[in-house]
Amino acid sequence: MMRQAGRYMAAYQALAKRHPSFRERSETTDLIVDITLQPWRAFAPDGVILFSDILTPLPAIGVPFDISDSKGPVIQSPVRSEEQVRELVPIDLDMLQFVGESLKILRSEIDGKAALLGFVGAPWTIATYVVEGGMTNTYTNIKSMCHTAPNVLRGLLSHLAEAISDYIIYQVNSGAQCIQIFDSWGGQLPPHVWEQWSKPYIKQIVNKIKIKCPHVPLVLYINGNGGLLERMTDTGVDVIGLDWTVDMADGRRRLGNRISVQGNVDPAFLFSPLPVLTDEIHRVVKSAGPKGHILNLGHGVLVKTPEEAVAHFFDVTRSLRYDTLFQGYVAEELQHVA
């Protein structure tokens, strides 16, 4: 469950009062391990997701950032010139030892009872923060750079792709068994622009990982990806995450059944009566079909989500049996829509 470790849990809120800095919580080995394990100990999901942030590796490439309670991430010197791109450095993995140490401890703690999942941000999504200087609703600076400074933007995206590839390999070598790539803001681009400015750099990462870590599944999640599904299939990833605005059955038809899917219960259903949540889980699972589906939310767990509902989500999922749920099911060979 995306964001399964975090603000909706009382245990996390208590820890956050003792350690009010998000950077401290996400960059201190003992705290990372404790927070990561909180939902696993409470709900026993099949996946244990490293508690971290997609911006965590930025200082290791020469882009310092702060996190403001009111503004979120803040980058004091946005990267918008050729000179600034040249000043970026290859990723210094020694600055990210807390990630590697945490993954090693977690792999030992889990002891094969669940999969250990790492994650990264896609180059375009990381670049939105680096260029805009933080969060944005308009993306005007980076979108205009596609036309006013394309070489600068290409240089930035290429540097990020190389750094993110090395960061994935580092996570895998430290114990991560699956990696999700978040192109969180890729859905803010028109499809043909995403094809030019995001997809090639995702493919650059995937190609390198498939050579260096061929056994590790890669998941690609784009928020608002309804207009991009067909274009995502040849990125080389193993799994495509669907957000909750895509009908699961329609998404499966459009993608074909040669690629796995993840998702996509609307996180708001966890505020509904539990029988309603049960029905929605059944609907999504049936729509996805009996093969190649990771049940998840269509986005992260929302703040103030009742823990009882999270527990119910996992309990219902564990109770499902494909042999009864899909009794009489005849598999249809689906080709993705070109």
Side-chain angles (χ1 to χ4, degrees), residues 52-289:
S52 188
D53 191 84
I54 60 172
L55 301 186
T56 293
L58 281 184
I61 64 168
V63 181
F65 74 97
D66 298 310
I67 292 186
S68 160
D69 289 338
S70 58
K71 295 181 180 179
V74 176
I75 295 169
Q76 297 292 349
S77 300
V79 176
R80 297 175 187 169
S81 71
E82 194 170 338
E83 182 181 0
Q84 288 175 299
V85 172
R86 282 199 301 266
E87 290 173 352
L88 299 176
V89 298
I91 191 166
D92 182 358
L93 296 171
D94 288 340
M95 293 179 65
L96 297 167
Q97 286 188 4
F98 53 86
V99 172
E101 291 167 0
S102 298
L103 286 166
K104 288 172 185 174
I105 294 169
L106 288 164
R107 187 71 180 269
S108 175
E109 287 281 336
I110 297 165
D111 194 26
K113 297 181 181 70
L116 180 56
L117 313 179
F119 65 91
V120 297
W124 172 267
T125 287
I126 299 297
T128 64
Y129 293 96
V130 173
V131 170
E132 299 288 346
M135 295 289 293
T136 176
N137 293 320
T138 59
Y139 308 90
T140 49
N141 288 300
I142 190 167
K143 284 185 175 183
S144 65
M145 279 181 73
C146 295
H147 312 288
T148 60
N151 291 336
V152 174
L153 187 53
R154 286 190 194 100
L156 173 59
L157 291 168
S158 294
H159 190 94
L160 289 172
E162 191 64 26
I164 291 164
S165 299
D166 290 342
Y167 186 41
I168 290 175
I169 294 166
Y170 177 67
Q171 290 190 36
V172 170
N173 289 340
S174 300
Q177 295 167 288
C178 175
I179 299 290
Q180 178 153 310
I181 301 169
F182 283 90
D183 196 7
S184 305
W185 308 130
Q188 297 296 318
L189 292 171
H192 72 284
V193 179
W194 180 84
E195 189 97 31
Q196 181 179 0
W197 287 101
S198 183
K199 182 177 180 177
Y201 303 97
I202 294 172
K203 291 182 75 169
Q204 181 181 333
I205 292 170
V206 173
N207 290 342
K208 184 169 182 177
I209 302 310
K210 289 302 179 183
I211 293 170
K212 298 288 187 179
C213 312
H215 61 289
V216 175
L218 297 175
V219 184
L220 176 59
Y221 175 83
I222 302 177
N223 191 33
N225 63 359
L228 298 172
L229 290 186
E230 292 82 2
R231 299 170 190 256
M232 295 169 67
T233 55
D234 64 345
T235 54
V237 297
D238 304 282
V239 184
I240 290 177
L242 304 180
D243 75 17
W244 76 92
T245 66
V246 177
D247 179 77
M248 175 58 79
D250 183 52
R252 178 63 102 181
R253 280 193 297 271
R254 290 169 61 190
L255 291 170
N257 53 16
R258 294 183 183 179
I259 192 164
S260 296
V261 293
Q262 175 178 272
N264 69 337
V265 174
D266 183 347
F269 267 96
L270 276 74
F271 291 85
S272 303
L274 297 184
V276 174
L277 175 58
T278 299
D279 290 345
E280 179 62 7
I281 291 169
H282 280 239
R283 187 194 67 80
V284 168
V285 171
K286 287 179 179 177
S287 297

